[in-house]
Amino acid sequence: MQNDDFFRPVSGFDLPRYAGVPTFMRLPHVGLDDPRLARVQVGLIGAPWDGGTTNRPGPRHGPRQLRDLSTMIRAENGITGVRPFEAVRCADLGDVAPNPADLMDTLKRMEAFYTRVRAAGILPLTAGGDHLCTLPILRALAKDRPLGMIHFDSHTDLFHSYFGGTMYTHGTPFRRAVEEGLLDPHRVCMIGIRGTAYDREDRDFARSVGIRIIPIEEFHARGPEDVMAEARGIAGTGETYVSYDIDFIDPAFAPGTGTPEVGGPNSWQALLVARLLKGVNIVGADLVEVSPPFDASGGTAFLGVSVMFEMLCVIAETLAAKGITE
Amino acid sequence: MQNDDFFRPVSGFDLPRYAGVPTFMRLPHVGLDDPRLARVQVGLIGAPWDGGTTNRPGPRHGPRQLRDLSTMIRAENGITGVRPFEAVRCADLGDVAPNPADLMDTLKRMEAFYTRVRAAGILPLTAGGDHLCTLPILRALAKDRPLGMIHFDSHTDLFHSYFGGTMYTHGTPFRRAVEEGLLDPHRVCMIGIRGTAYDREDRDFARSVGIRIIPIEEFHARGPEDVMAEARGIAGTGETYVSYDIDFIDPAFAPGTGTPEVGGPNSWQALLVARLLKGVNIVGADLVEVSPPFDASGGTAFLGVSVMFEMLCVIAETLAAKGITE
Amino acid sequence: MQNDDFFRPVSGFDLPRYAGVPTFMRLPHVGLDDPRLARVQVGLIGAPWDGGTTNRPGPRHGPRQLRDLSTMIRAENGITGVRPFEAVRCADLGDVAPNPADLMDTLKRMEAFYTRVRAAGILPLTAGGDHLCTLPILRALAKDRPLGMIHFDSHTDLFHSYFGGTMYTHGTPFRRAVEEGLLDPHRVCMIGIRGTAYDREDRDFARSVGIRIIPIEEFHARGPEDVMAEARGIAGTGETYVSYDIDFIDPAFAPGTGTPEVGGPNSWQALLVARLLKGVNIVGADLVEVSPPFDASGGTAFLGVSVMFEMLCVIAETLAAKGITE
Amino acid sequence: MQNDDFFRPVSGFDLPRYAGVPTFMRLPHVGLDDPRLARVQVGLIGAPWDGGTTNRPGPRHGPRQLRDLSTMIRAENGITGVRPFEAVRCADLGDVAPNPADLMDTLKRMEAFYTRVRAAGILPLTAGGDHLCTLPILRALAKDRPLGMIHFDSHTDLFHSYFGGTMYTHGTPFRRAVEEGLLDPHRVCMIGIRGTAYDREDRDFARSVGIRIIPIEEFHARGPEDVMAEARGIAGTGETYVSYDIDFIDPAFAPGTGTPEVGGPNSWQALLVARLLKGVNIVGADLVEVSPPFDASGGTAFLGVSVMFEMLCVIAETLAAKGITE
Amino acid sequence: MQNDDFFRPVSGFDLPRYAGVPTFMRLPHVGLDDPRLARVQVGLIGAPWDGGTTNRPGPRHGPRQLRDLSTMIRAENGITGVRPFEAVRCADLGDVAPNPADLMDTLKRMEAFYTRVRAAGILPLTAGGDHLCTLPILRALAKDRPLGMIHFDSHTDLFHSYFGGTMYTHGTPFRRAVEEGLLDPHRVCMIGIRGTAYDREDRDFARSVGIRIIPIEEFHARGPEDVMAEARGIAGTGETYVSYDIDFIDPAFAPGTGTPEVGGPNSWQALLVARLLKGVNIVGADLVEVSPPFDASGGTAFLGVSVMFEMLCVIAETLAAKGITE
Amino acid sequence: MQNDDFFRPVSGFDLPRYAGVPTFMRLPHVGLDDPRLARVQVGLIGAPWDGGTTNRPGPRHGPRQLRDLSTMIRAENGITGVRPFEAVRCADLGDVAPNPADLMDTLKRMEAFYTRVRAAGILPLTAGGDHLCTLPILRALAKDRPLGMIHFDSHTDLFHSYFGGTMYTHGTPFRRAVEEGLLDPHRVCMIGIRGTAYDREDRDFARSVGIRIIPIEEFHARGPEDVMAEARGIAGTGETYVSYDIDFIDPAFAPGTGTPEVGGPNSWQALLVARLLKGVNIVGADLVEVSPPFDASGGTAFLGVSVMFEMLCVIAETLAAKGITE
């Protein structure tokens, strides 16, 4: 167990949860140039960018609202009993600086940021941002070998291009990632896919490269436990990235997103699938597409950070099991 | 398959979904005087009227918000694979013009409009408006013989009168329809009925004429598949109208309605019951009581158009099966 | 059956439900000094106070919004057929006057109010207010012997103190109640507990005194019927208080509360557990923590009064069964 | 000065302003059948009806929200020092019961209600409701001789008919009132008229019968004091009705209304014109077209009740000056 | 006067204003490929793009909300008496199709669209979109000679670049336009400039090239009439573009925008400056930066279309005066 | 001029304004235990407490929302040209930790915090919190001699007590401050007082001790410049505190507050009075009563921080003039 008081979140008994400068989960803010960076094990990072959004924008505001609501999170997982901030040293690494008016420049800025994070030996847990943010993260994390991926979403994000040839949007990141060798398609599982479709080009591609898609009707029929057992099997013991699009969840529970699809999982299932990641060899994770303009009340962001906390608990257990917490 | 490009919706790859003049599902707008009316098979129609509302008004704004959100609908049903706009020629026929300050005049205007639609051989799929809108539609469609009906709602709308003798409100349309011989009560099934009650007058009437009511506790106990099998059996092979009140769905999923009742189906079940209409001989359908003032965000309208799309897919398959798509 | 027209709610057929001065469930307003108080059997009371709130305030506005939405409630329980206003004489007793700037003074004011209510032989059904409101109610109702309690919540509210020694907050009422002998811990059952935790001090205390906690994962695994059977067994035949914190329900269904926890029961389950109180010897009940600033639309309040109505129906049946309705 | 404690509003020092059953300005609720009606001098009445609304509905909810916000009003006019509740006996007479689905029936119900109010010698101060509500009020108050009127609005409401012959809408009440001899057009002044126009039919009619219209550009050029001096001159010493449509005020200050017109007076001017009614022989007044669905926050209603309080202060002074306060 | 019924907006007396497919001001929708395009004189165009936004996005949704609220506009200017739709043939030309994920591609698409509009002899009145939209419009309209410009805004939009060299953002369009010779800086007047500043680079540039900036303190001191007289003088008799950023107006009146600055003009002044454009030789105009996510109620959009209507009235008078209406 | 890069706010050209951990005006966060505290000259402090609120709560959330919106503030005052962050070293000192459930404890905590701030030689600029927060600040700053005060508000906050003897509420701070000798009443000026009144006890007290009240009608009649000249004269050259209650401003401009009073100054006047503080010998200032639950959009908070920035510019000039910037 880490015993470094610097990395302990502010308690609600010392300062009420609604008060104080809001960092992720009330952790210390440690910028990339801060000398304490070397001691960080898990870095919570904001990616305030939605330049790949083809429909209704807003996820660029996600990190701020997620930070705000994350101050409602306490020290211990009520069900598993994990106390992640005692198990590993976590910090808020701040936001990646995007260039809102230049997509290609931002992809480079983000890749450079995460390359530094990886070089520091820090496992990144990212709050998006739209789903295109995941591409530069994968470029930084998977430069040298492909990763597996467990992907919660209502969309595959596997399209070839939009608007007559535009290759980089929030609907294409995983097509690019497969093409670039960042993902091993046989170790990729996509869960919750639903909604009306343009066509079947994305799903045809998935089949052709070996990506496993579990559509929503199968999810509802089999239930979270069974589905997650399969997903863990697909990911195997290799290094795996977890990408969680908030629109995986039904919009009654998570209205704050730009491309909702009705008929999805409820909040209990949304947490449960994250808890059932236990045992996966996670090397990075994200929660993307929270769009505050569509949910001023912050309910979506609160559910989002609750999912992040579940993922963080699994990550903390995994790191502890690896014996690398000190 | 119809191959008339005029009737193809605008693709999100050509014009982003949030852009453009919003017609229903991005279909062409074909007014009743338009020469292309003759080629339309399914007409999406707005009924912007809530003159029968005894409680909290707003459904008059339903068609505009439903049109707005309907631009999020794409070409293909993700689960059944049906592509309705290729199977049949669909168009937005515009709105019926109500007289907001004269109830009886509006009933006549609406009946006249739908009489023209029927005369043109067009199957109407209506976006309300409150539930009184269904009465003049039935008067136009069932003038010559009674129809069966599958009715999703939390209320029976079978009351005799309100306020000491007022016969036309959104709580009375199906009492009138039975009295006028527009519905064959033995082929009517009402699903999802719940909430507190004034008294049992409506349910006593149902029993006395042979209408089958499946209350919510039975729905939750048996599940959508079983309930819909019974409903399809009641409707039989005869011509059937489908009337879907958005307050059938739990208000967490569909808050935008004037007389919500808690404890209802979730969004997955809401879509599923529409999908399970497959095989019913539908001659018209509606989605009513969406009240935008109670859901400025549009989440209710999006769920509403998603239900409409499911109904449209069933209708398209049925028309195709009848071999009348050309 | 009571046949006192004075105590009959205004019907929506006489005055539309959105109209009129809003009292609880459109009942007559009978203040504590009103001579008609002597005939009241069940008193609906507002406790507009949130002085114990350590996080996000607002429940002080609960009673007004609950009254507003309660005018949507009709005369009869759609499922059980109970007509509570005919079974017992109910009235709106108005609000307890709090002192928003003096916590200890308010505790005394509330205890004094409920002592008068009890002295008048009236069973109180309270609309909070935050959960600290329950403490002075218990002080008035359980002065002479401990009560059992069935408690729906996502938090135990069993903490010792906050902020370095503050003994009275909405997180401590039941710790105080056990210490003061107002509750018999072996007859207390807490259902739905969940969310992240500071530590296990509250649950350790529960175990040490014999309080039964049914956490949310157990609730989801066993289902409402099984859980409520156990709860009824724990309460037994003795006098029992029912305390229902709206944050028991998932925030998608009840966003209007200050300390939501995701992953909770849906609206159908929320009503069902109240209906399954049938047979419990209820001597008082409350619905607390409805916070209108977090749900301007009133959906939370409507669900809240729907739960209150279910509790009222059970109470009415119980009182009738006791033969004390006249 | 009246010294009848029954008619004194509840003080915010006794019960916080947000608490308690919300009656108009925390006055006692005295129904038309209450024996205390005989002692009431000024009756605050809700008219929860918007059956004449041709555009966006909602004013039927006005009385409830106005009551809610009216609890923020205290005892004394900060500028004039008038304490109206001490000067005259005021009460909340409740709501007129409309028939939301029958316009002609509602006109009769309202006329009957106000006829009883007038018969009881009570001066009515009404909270609408849409502007058609003013017609039945005038029918009751002006049965025997025409009244003068000072009318604040952005619309003249002088149209002949809508939708091809519909005579009763919220755009026609004063055309009807002039035709029926309820208003003396030479003693009518309309202030603040603006916005785009269908045509000039309404203004041509005004000119032809002698109604004085002060359009917004003249209001801005001359200022409230000068305009009101003219208005008082037009009304003269005869009996005069005051009708205040909330859309007189700029929608930045009063967004909660169905047919806003930009470019109007600010809140200071909105209060000032009411204060400058001093000296007018007012026999009745109303504040109409507050539509809560367009302003959930209640800011419009608060401004509305602030205007009502200013009118009430002028009325109280006038009644006191007439020596009829006892 | 044009007497082509096709170009007449739908009247609110025929179809209520809240009903029907919402085109700009209820005009006919005439796409660029429609044969009737040749008869259009003024084209209302949506530019649903905010790719240049460096701060809070949303203006891409502007055209749809502006269309929606524009149905509240009637036929005649209440103050000037102008009836623009009778004076000139107006139509809704639909939306320019942007590429939300490719800034440079969108600039080309927009320039091409407006080049076709200009070639058709149509004067464009555009609803944005962010302020970068004005650049490709100017490229199409001012290809062959520089225009004058009257610019209402709280920002100069004259910066050189952002984020270390990004040349195309909504803060740079007029710097580019001057550099490219699209504007004659001596005929450019910017009105309402205010707010905190990064530095004085933009204002230094303005001074160096001869652009006249009238900051807000001068506007408040001199008043709209005096300021507009100077602006008209600066524009002179030459061809002039009018660009109206909604953030010119105080955010209390127009909250729906991404970079508001407090302390601005009120709604009356906002309309008045547009009306005072009379006499300017306008060849194109726009209303930009309406951001619906920041004003779900639509109040900002309604003020925006009211400003557009004032500009349209001036344009119609000018075209009529030129004798080119037929 | 200070030339310490550490104290320079993050530029919007480096990191977009919506991004990053939100501190006040993007300044560095320097806690009271931070060694850099010694170099801070002006400390921006959050006081997240509303325990003195007698009506509608919410200001405890003020500091967080004010920090969020303060990231929209840039480096330079557009009108005066002052660049405060270059003139003096400013920092965000974080929030005072309140005890939400213990009023007297919180008063002590706050006094202790500000005593440390004063001991460090830092001028505090506070973001509230309700108006009771000003009392412990004055206790810390004025321990040894009374201060003058310029007070912008719609209420005097001079009442003796509430609810039968409660001495500490947000309506009593300045009564206590005068009694305790913290304020020199002859150097106190209160501006903007308005709204309905309980009675005249507060104003009688003001008169009796020599406090000057400028009510709103006088403010509107004389204008900001004249009123502020008088206020500066009253404060004189002595040390003066500035307390700015956001409800001084009209609620159309600042709806986010718990006790609004209509008819107040507009946003331009709200900024102007702050700018006209130039020359006053300010030793501390606050902006209180911003209540986010009443303005989720943040418009009130943005106006609030704009006022804070104006006050900060005046303070910076004063400190610079005193020659103490290094």
Side-chain angles (χ1 to χ4, degrees), chain A residues 13 17 74-76 83 267, chain C residues 162 196-198 200 250 261 263:
Chain A
F13 282 170
R17 316 215 132 259
R74 303 181 195 83
E76 178 176 319
R83 299 177 70 85
S267 61
Chain C
Y162 277 59
T196 57
Y198 291 121
R200 301 199 158 256
D250 189 88
E261 305 292 350

Side-chain angles (χ1 to χ4, degrees), chain B residues 158 186 200-213:
Chain B
L158 279 175
H186 293 94
R200 301 199 156 256
E201 190 237 316
D202 58 333
R203 286 163 288 171
D204 292 343
F205 173 78
R207 201 173 310 110
S208 74
V209 296
I211 291 173
R212 166 70 166 122
I213 290 176

Side-chain angles (χ1 to χ4, degrees), chain A residues 1-2 7-9 25 27 41-42 44 73-78 80-91 125 308-317 319-320 325, chain C residues 196-197:
Chain A
M1 184 189 296
Q2 65 102 349
F7 290 104
R8 194 151 296 180
M25 301 186 191
L27 289 163
Q41 294 175 294
V42 178
L44 285 83
I73 299 292
R74 303 181 195 83
E76 178 176 319
N77 189 309
T80 64
V82 173
R83 299 177 70 85
F85 310 116
E86 295 177 6
V88 291
R89 290 182 300 277
C90 303
L125 176 52
M308 287 178 71
F309 183 77
E310 291 285 356
M311 295 198 292
L312 180 60
C313 288
V314 170
I315 289 168
E317 284 188 290
L319 291 185
T325 59
Chain C
T196 57

Side-chain angles (χ1 to χ4, degrees), chain E residues 54-56 155 159 161-164 195-200 203 216-217 220 250 252-253 258-264, chain F residues 11-18 69 72-79 81 83 252-253 267-268 271 302-303 306 309:
Chain E
T54 59
N55 199 333
R56 308 187 300 175
H155 312 96
F159 281 92
S161 59
Y162 277 59
F163 308 120
T196 57
Y198 292 120
D199 52 39
R200 302 200 156 255
R203 287 163 288 171
I216 195 63
E217 61 270 26
H220 284 310
D250 190 88
F253 298 84
T259 316
E261 306 291 350
V262 296
Chain F
S11 165
F13 282 168
D14 292 333
L15 183 68
R17 316 216 131 259
Y18 59 80
L69 272 298
M72 302 278 277
I73 299 292
R74 303 182 195 83
E76 178 176 319
N77 189 309
I79 292 178
R83 298 177 70 86
F253 298 85
S267 60
W268 172 250
L271 297 174
F302 181 55
L303 181 50
S306 297
F309 183 77

Side-chain angles (χ1 to χ4, degrees), chain A residues 89-315:
Chain A
R89 290 182 300 277
C90 303
D92 182 332
L93 305 191
D95 279 2
V96 194
N99 181 339
D102 192 329
L103 188 148
M104 298 308 283
D105 183 30
T106 303
L107 290 178
K108 280 181 211 146
R109 288 168 176 234
M110 287 189 65
E111 184 180 344
F113 186 99
Y114 282 89
T115 298
R116 288 184 65 187
V117 169
R118 187 186 178 196
I122 298 171
L123 189 154
L125 176 52
T126 301
D130 72 27
H131 225 150
L132 185 51
C133 293
T134 307
L135 180 60
I137 297 174
L138 290 175
R139 283 174 172 171
L141 298 189
K143 224 169 231 123
D144 36 12
R145 82 291 175 215
L147 299 174
M149 180 170 75
I150 297 179
H151 173 206
F152 304 99
D153 205 332
S154 62
H155 312 96
T156 63
D157 297 352
L158 279 174
F159 280 92
H160 177 269
S161 59
Y162 277 59
F163 309 119
T166 298
M167 308 292 280
Y168 297 102
T169 79
H170 67 159
T172 67
F174 301 122
R175 184 69 160 264
R176 291 298 90 73
V178 170
E179 292 169 354
E180 298 179 16
L182 307 172
L183 292 176
D184 171 358
H186 293 94
R187 291 185 47 235
V188 171
C189 181
M190 298 183 161
I191 303 170
I193 306 306
R194 66 184 182 273
T196 57
Y198 291 121
D199 53 38
R200 301 199 157 255
E201 190 237 318
D202 57 333
R203 286 162 288 171
D204 291 343
F205 174 78
R207 201 173 310 111
S208 73
V209 297
I211 290 174
R212 167 68 167 124
I213 290 176
I214 300 179
I216 193 65
E217 60 272 25
E218 187 178 341
F219 178 87
H220 284 310
R222 292 172 57 190
E225 286 84 357
D226 192 36
V227 160
M228 288 307 298
E230 180 182 353
R232 286 193 305 268
I234 291 168
T237 57
E239 291 181 326
T240 300
Y241 191 79
V242 176
S243 191
Y244 200 119
D245 186 320
I246 196 79
D247 71 26
F248 167 71
I249 309 169
D250 189 88
F253 298 84
T257 196
T259 316
E261 306 292 350
V262 296
N266 65 26
S267 61
W268 172 251
Q269 296 168 324
L271 297 174
L272 186 55
V273 293
R275 207 177 301 132
L276 290 169
L277 289 167
K278 186 169 174 176
V280 177
N281 183 5
I282 300 174
V283 297
D286 62 46
L287 186 280
V288 297
E289 297 284 356
V290 171
S291 183
F294 291 95
D295 183 23
S297 74
T300 305
F302 181 54
L303 180 50
V305 294
S306 297
V307 167
M308 287 178 71
F309 183 77
E310 291 285 356
M311 295 198 292
L312 180 60
C313 288
V314 170
I315 289 168

Side-chain angles (χ1 to χ4, degrees), chain C:
Chain C
M1 184 189 296
Q2 65 101 350
N3 51 14
D4 192 335
D5 269 1
F6 175 77
F7 290 104
R8 195 150 298 179
V10 178
S11 164
F13 282 169
D14 292 333
L15 183 67
R17 315 215 132 260
Y18 60 81
V21 175
T23 55
F24 281 125
M25 302 188 192
R26 312 189 98 190
L27 289 162
H29 181 188
V30 177
L32 291 203
D33 297 321
D34 190 307
R36 284 168 295 209
L37 187 74
R39 287 188 55 70
V40 176
Q41 293 174 294
V42 177
L44 285 83
I45 301 168
W49 187 55
D50 53 15
T53 299
T54 59
N55 199 333
R56 308 187 300 176
R60 74 176 72 182
H61 299 297
R64 187 167 289 181
Q65 198 190 36
L66 286 160
R67 275 194 181 89
D68 187 357
L69 272 298
S70 78
T71 64
M72 302 277 278
I73 299 292
R74 303 182 194 82
E76 179 176 318
N77 189 309
I79 291 177
T80 65
V82 174
R83 299 177 70 86
F85 311 116
E86 294 177 5
V88 291
R89 290 181 301 277
C90 304
D92 182 332
L93 304 192
D95 279 2
V96 194
N99 181 340
D102 191 329
L103 188 149
M104 298 308 282
D105 184 31
T106 303
L107 289 178
K108 280 181 212 146
R109 288 167 177 236
M110 287 189 64
E111 183 180 346
F113 185 99
Y114 281 89
T115 298
R116 288 183 66 188
V117 170
R118 187 185 179 197
I122 298 171
L123 189 155
L125 176 53
T126 300
D130 72 27
H131 225 150
L132 184 52
C133 293
T134 307
L135 180 61
I137 297 174
L138 289 175
R139 283 174 174 171
L141 298 189
K143 223 169 232 123
D144 36 11
R145 81 292 177 214
L147 299 175
M149 180 170 74
I150 297 178
H151 173 206
F152 304 99
D153 206 332
S154 61
H155 312 96
T156 64
D157 296 352
L158 279 174
F159 280 92
H160 177 268
S161 59
Y162 277 59
F163 308 119
T166 298
M167 307 293 280
Y168 297 103
T169 79
H170 68 159
T172 68
F174 301 123
R175 183 69 160 262
R176 291 298 89 74
V178 170
E179 292 169 354
E180 298 179 17
L182 307 172
L183 292 176
D184 172 358
H186 293 93
R187 291 184 48 236
V188 172
C189 181
M190 298 182 162
I191 302 169
I193 307 306
R194 66 183 182 275
T196 57
Y198 291 121
D199 52 40
R200 301 199 158 256
E201 190 236 319
D202 57 332
R203 286 163 288 171
D204 291 343
F205 174 78
R207 201 173 310 109
S208 73
V209 296
I211 291 174
R212 167 69 166 123
I213 290 177
I214 300 179
I216 194 65
E217 60 271 26
E218 186 176 343
F219 179 88
H220 283 311
R222 293 171 56 189
E225 287 83 357
D226 191 36
V227 160
M228 287 306 299
E230 179 182 353
R232 286 193 306 267
I234 290 168
T237 57
E239 291 181 325
T240 300
Y241 191 80
V242 176
S243 191
Y244 199 120
D245 187 319
I246 196 79
D247 70 26
F248 167 71
I249 308 168
D250 189 88
F253 299 83
T257 196
T259 317
E261 305 292 350
V262 295
N266 65 25
S267 62
W268 172 250
Q269 296 168 323
L271 297 174
L272 186 55
V273 294
R275 207 177 300 132
L276 290 169
L277 289 167
K278 186 169 174 176
V280 176
N281 184 5
I282 300 174
V283 297
D286 62 46
L287 185 279
V288 298
E289 297 283 357
V290 171
S291 183
F294 290 95
D295 183 24
S297 75
T300 305
F302 181 55
L303 180 50
V305 295
S306 297
V307 167
M308 286 178 72
F309 183 77
E310 291 285 357
M311 296 198 291
L312 180 61
C313 288
V314 170
I315 288 168
E317 283 188 291
T318 305
L319 291 185
K322 286 186 181 171
I324 62 170
T325 59
E326 209 51 51

Side-chain angles (χ1 to χ4, degrees), chain E residues 61-102:
Chain E
H61 299 297
R64 186 167 289 180
Q65 197 189 39
L66 286 159
R67 275 195 182 88
D68 187 359
L69 272 297
S70 79
T71 64
M72 303 278 277
I73 298 291
R74 303 180 195 84
E76 179 177 319
N77 189 309
I79 292 178
T80 65
V82 173
R83 298 177 71 85
F85 311 115
E86 294 177 6
V88 292
R89 289 182 302 276
C90 303
D92 182 331
L93 304 192
D95 279 2
V96 194
N99 180 339
D102 191 328

